[in-house]
Amino acid sequence: MARKRFDDSSCSVARALNEVGDWWSLLIVLQAMYGTRRFVDFQQELGIARNILVDRLCRLVDNQVLRKVDVGEHGSRFEYRLTDKGRDLFPVVIALRQWGDRYNPCPDGPPLDLRDRRTGQPVRQLEVQDADGNPLTVRDVFVSEESLDDQQNPA
Amino acid sequence: MARKRFDDSSCSVARALNEVGDWWSLLIVLQAMYGTRRFVDFQQELGIARNILVDRLCRLVDNQVLRKVDVGEHGSRFEYRLTDKGRDLFPVVIALRQWGDRYNPCPDGPPLDLRDRRTGQPVRQLEVQDADGNPLTVRDVFVSEESLDDQQNPA
DNA sequence: CCATAAGGTTGCGTTACGAAACCATATTAA
DNA sequence: TTAATATGGTTTCGTAACGCAACCTTATGG
């Protein structure tokens, strides 16, 4: 009856989804990338229930996506900051954003555009590339046979 | 009381997660990328409950990530195939896979390695790049102020 | 000494998920 | 012609997760 989990799945996508594959975790990470650090700010900016937020923050801390820092200043006591592991979700978030912008454009107003702080230029469209930098589609890739065997039963 | 949904959120990440942000959808898309097309095959390869699979396949079809094709051949009657929209989740899946491989390496055996069908070379590590192809981190980007305003309340 | 804020915890009702059983249609096998 | 089997579901039911609101505890501020 327990919700299926994939901790020990041989599929790295399944293992990744096990950590950030629920409704809220990636949005929390996204907010953290925007600079949000405090409990109340996550709660208000995301509109998430407090008990769920507690649960998600703990899990993200357990999984070392965030770390909880004790800052003993005026009422505000803790901050949740991205770790390197959390920051490395950047491509995942960007890939989702670009896909969302392309296929579910915002009904009102233009899509949020990310720009390079240094040059002011927009961020390039993410693409899967071969060793020489040429774009690859799903059909252009294959999986080496021996690793594919392990892959057939993620659950 | 209803699970929160983000259909009309101004955040494209939230809208994307609304379509593929649950435990199963991305894994179904991944299986489809491996070539799986039939109901029973999804069911057996993923180990997903049948009623949940029905629900997810319908939602993915509704969202035009998959399309349901009637192939009237021996018992097997329908196929679920990726649309262009579905195939364009490739970077998302690859980003998740690379993140999973990096931070949660498979306990037994090497990570599944994807290779370019043409050259046999491994797929390059995904990265967010500026207009000139230089890598960008979270700290290197900013959001134009006007679009950021809409972004603050995804829920 | 009271108000306010941060960061939770608890209780409760609703919804989603998972497992197994059941079902309808179509093909094959005897 | 009947039985077995496969596909693609639907139904039932128990458990787990979610959402909301109320409450609690430990600061700080006035």
Side-chain angles (χ1 to χ4, degrees), chain A residues 3-24 26-27 30-31 33-34 36 44-49 59 65 82 84-134 136-144 146-148 150-155, chain B residues 3-24 26-27 30-31 33-34 36 44-49 59 65 82 84-134 136-144 146-148 150-155:
Chain A
R3 175 173 244 138
K4 207 153 253 184
R5 286 277 154 64
F6 304 101
D7 312 79
D8 55 353
S9 168
S10 62
C11 175
S12 57
V13 178
R15 290 197 309 282
L17 288 175
N18 199 42
E19 298 196 352
V20 294
D22 67 300
W23 292 101
W24 286 115
L26 266 184
L27 289 175
L30 174 66
Q31 273 300 324
M33 287 177 180
Y34 286 157
T36 300
Q44 297 193 344
E45 283 161 16
L46 290 171
I48 183 176
R59 279 184 44 203
V65 172
L82 286 170
D84 286 341
K85 180 176 176 182
R87 265 187 291 274
D88 278 352
L89 282 168
F90 192 44
V92 175
V93 171
I94 295 301
L96 273 171
R97 172 179 298 295
Q98 292 180 345
W99 186 78
D101 279 337
R102 161 116 69 145
Y103 291 103
N104 297 83
C106 190
D108 34 71
L112 180 152
D113 73 331
L114 284 176
R115 290 167 176 276
D116 179 2
R117 202 182 290 281
R118 194 173 54 80
T119 67
Q121 300 244 40
V123 166
R124 184 185 276 201
Q125 186 78 16
L126 261 187
E127 55 182 22
V128 181
Q129 297 175 342
D130 69 13
D132 305 322
N134 305 115
L136 292 174
T137 71
V138 186
R139 307 194 221 250
D140 296 325
V141 303
F142 71 99
V143 178
S144 66
E146 60 277 29
S147 39
L148 209 155
D150 302 337
Q151 214 53 32
Q152 291 301 350
N153 263 297
Chain B
R3 174 173 242 135
K4 206 154 254 180
R5 285 279 152 63
F6 304 102
D7 312 79
D8 54 353
S9 168
S10 62
C11 174
S12 57
V13 178
R15 290 197 309 281
L17 287 174
N18 199 42
E19 298 197 352
V20 295
D22 67 300
W23 293 100
W24 286 115
L26 266 184
L27 288 175
L30 174 65
Q31 273 300 322
M33 286 176 180
Y34 286 157
T36 300
Q44 297 193 344
E45 283 162 16
L46 290 171
I48 183 176
R59 280 184 43 204
V65 172
L82 286 170
D84 286 342
K85 180 176 176 183
R87 265 186 291 274
D88 278 352
L89 282 168
F90 193 44
V92 175
V93 171
I94 296 300
L96 273 171
R97 173 180 296 294
Q98 292 180 344
W99 185 79
D101 279 336
R102 161 116 69 147
Y103 291 103
N104 297 84
C106 189
D108 34 71
L112 180 154
D113 71 332
L114 284 176
R115 288 167 177 276
D116 178 1
R117 202 182 288 281
R118 194 173 53 80
T119 66
Q121 300 244 39
V123 167
R124 185 185 275 200
Q125 186 77 18
L126 261 186
E127 56 182 21
V128 182
Q129 297 176 340
D130 69 12
D132 304 321
N134 304 114
L136 292 174
T137 72
V138 185
R139 308 194 220 250
D140 296 325
V141 302
F142 71 98
V143 177
S144 64
E146 59 280 26
S147 39
L148 209 153
D150 302 335
Q151 215 52 32
Q152 290 301 350
N153 262 298

